Amino acid sequence: MSKENKQPVYTLEEVSALYARPLLDLVYEAASIHRTNHDANEMQICTLLSIKTGGCTEDCGYCSQSVHNDAELEKEILLKTDDVLKQARKAKESGSTRFCMGAAWPKVLDGRAFDRVCDMVKGVSDMGMEACCTLGMLTEEQAIKLKEAGLTAYNHNLDTSEEFYDKVVTTRKFDERLDTLKNIARAGISACCGGILGLGESEEDRISLLHTLSNLDPQPESVPINMLVPVKGTPMENNEMLDIFEWIRAIAVARILMPKSMVRLSAGRLTISKEAQALAFMAGANAIFTGEKLLTTPNPEKDADYALLDSLGIKPRKPFKDKECVSKKAISA
Ligand code: SAM
Ligand code: DTB
Ligand code: SF4
């Protein structure tokens, strides 16, 4: 692989060749790279909270919260700061070190709602937890405000390949996602950026997504790998579950291409066996969301997750372990 200013630049051919390797060779290499860059017996435990649920005007084909879909959902206006901080405290007490607040907004609008989210971020960060938000598209000025409030990371996924993007979302362009990622980087906030598998994409699309993600500069601090949760009332409700070894393959390739990033098992774990999750941990996944709900869909029970980690001898990771995860280049840009 060619190297330039420490930031690796991968060609599509290189990523394709990597993706095509025998699965166990990939897992072996990913595990070795993982062990060089991380403590392989440590897991980052994060908790998600939907702070504003439903009524989103984007038409993401997988999402329960889009007004274009017909999912059964209890909509909620923006929660109150105190209620959010109560949930954050509970999450902290149960062992979570990162609290991620999600809003079903296509983009952030300046005003009272955004100011309230900044207060929430400040409250979570004052508790000594890493604060993360996912609020849709964002300007550089808004990103700076969140940074000043104490935000650790901003989640903004590319979701799928540029080529497949308009089969999944038509109300925005792939490039608009990249613009927000640039604004996040300019504000010196770490990006949490990944995708969803099982949308009906091809292997080439998964390769293309991993290629784009790994060439982001800086590489994302965290890479969520979501497995589609097929939600009734969405165009993807009858999608077949992706072969579990494709999921493992994508995780291993993500770990090899982005050695320093946290690779996060996100949506879809409820239908994935603990043996497959253990193989994913072997292949370099080192972060999970715990708690019985993600944003709107179910997740494994906390106790089941802790029992799984315990039986594997995996310990929770401390907050703010990697202060260097925010690229100096991003700060000075
Ligand atoms: N509205 C913001 C946005 O789209 O950036 C933030 C919230 S959105 C729900 C956060 C992410 O959740 C999406 O980018 C997508 O990757 C993931 N997601 C949403 N619904 C999902 C589903 N049914 N299955 C798997 N992942 C899903
Ligand atoms: C991410 O990539 N996955 C999380 C988090 N970032 C915000 C969200 C998953 C949502 C799954 C569908 C739901 O619960 O509504
Ligand atoms: Fe809205 Fe985000 Fe859901 Fe898309 S994924 S419909 S932007 S909440």
Side-chain angles (χ1 to χ4, degrees):
M1 311 250 168
S2 43
K3 301 249 153 104
E4 225 175 69
N5 297 334
K6 283 199 195 151
Q7 166 78 25
V9 177
Y10 301 103
T11 65
L12 190 59
E13 290 66 36
E14 285 171 325
V15 179
S16 287
L18 188 63
Y19 200 93
R21 285 178 50 192
L23 184 67
L24 296 184
D25 287 356
L26 268 183
V27 171
Y28 181 79
E29 183 169 344
S32 314
I33 290 180
H34 185 45
R35 275 146 205 278
T36 312
N37 291 281
H38 303 267
D39 179 341
N41 294 311
E42 221 176 56
M43 187 73 44
Q44 188 187 47
I45 314 278
C46 315
T47 298
L48 266 175
L49 178 69
S50 181
I51 57 170
K52 188 267 169 187
T53 308
C56 182
T57 50
E58 300 280 31
D59 69 350
C60 309
Y62 49 79
C63 188
S64 61
Q65 306 199 66
S66 165
V67 292
H68 301 268
N69 299 335
D70 240 343
E72 221 175 86
L73 183 74
E74 279 205 26
K75 291 190 195 146
E76 287 228 47
I77 55 169
L78 184 65
L79 300 182
K80 297 209 166 51
T81 308
D82 282 353
D83 294 336
V84 171
L85 296 185
K86 253 183 230 152
Q87 298 283 339
R89 209 160 291 120
K90 241 173 78 185
K92 187 180 177 190
E93 278 158 16
S94 70
S96 210
T97 54
R98 178 177 282 207
F99 193 68
C100 180
M101 295 160 275
W105 286 334
K107 63 176 176 192
V108 172
L109 296 174
D110 289 316
R112 296 228 303 264
F114 180 49
D115 293 345
R116 196 191 291 178
V117 174
C118 292
D119 291 342
M120 295 173 190
V121 169
K122 181 162 186 326
V124 171
S125 141
D126 286 349
M127 260 175 231
M129 289 181 99
E130 297 183 23
C132 172
C133 272
T134 180
L135 313 169
M137 287 178 275
L138 190 77
T139 64
E140 187 179 339
E141 291 69 33
Q142 292 164 339
I144 291 169
K145 267 196 174 171
L146 286 168
K147 166 88 181 160
E148 285 168 357
L151 194 77
T152 312
Y154 194 83
N155 169 241
H156 200 67
N157 293 337
L158 291 175
D159 284 335
T160 191
S161 68
E162 182 165 10
E163 298 75 23
F164 192 61
Y165 202 74
D166 64 2
K167 305 283 179 307
V168 178
V169 192
T170 68
T171 47
R172 62 170 181 246
K173 298 264 173 294
F174 192 78
D175 274 355
E176 294 179 79
R177 296 301 269 186
L178 294 174
D179 288 343
T180 292
L181 290 170
K182 279 187 202 132
N183 294 336
I184 297 165
R186 286 194 193 111
I189 298 174
S190 302
C192 169
C193 181
I196 313 180
L197 308 182
L199 297 171
E201 77 284 350
S202 64
E203 188 176 287
E204 286 72 34
D205 291 313
R206 289 189 283 278
I207 292 168
S208 171
L209 169 67
L210 288 161
H211 174 247
T212 310
L213 290 172
S214 60
N215 281 306
L216 290 174
D217 182 11
Q219 287 193 331
E221 174 250 350
S222 141
V223 183
I225 307 284
N226 293 280
M227 184 74 122
L228 175 75
V229 178
V231 177
K232 205 161 166 262
T234 66
M236 299 191 180
E237 65 176 321
N238 294 320
N239 277 27
E240 242 178 66
M241 186 171 160
L242 185 75
D243 183 282
I244 201 66
F245 293 131
E246 274 297 294
W247 181 72
I248 301 283
R249 184 178 291 282
I251 289 163
V253 171
R255 167 52 68 225
I256 295 169
L257 296 178
M258 294 170 276
K260 302 264 183 220
S261 306
M262 304 297 292
V263 175
R264 187 176 308 278
L265 304 187
S266 302
R269 282 195 307 113
L270 197 57
T271 49
I272 297 174
S273 72
K274 45 184 194 172
E275 292 81 0
Q277 291 185 56
L279 188 56
F281 299 153
M282 183 78 195
N286 59 349
I288 54 170
F289 288 111
T290 59
E292 61 200 29
K293 201 148 105 177
L294 289 159
L295 290 172
T296 67
T297 63
N299 195 43
E301 298 280 343
K302 189 187 85 199
D303 291 352
D305 275 342
Y306 277 101
L308 171 61
L309 295 181
D310 202 40
S311 63
L312 298 173
I314 297 178
K315 303 259 178 309
R317 180 185 200 264
K318 296 211 162 42
F320 303 108
K321 204 179 160 197
D322 273 346
K323 272 307 215 178
E324 74 273 18
C325 61
V326 179
S327 134
K328 294 192 182 63
K329 185 169 164 192
I331 295 168
S332 60

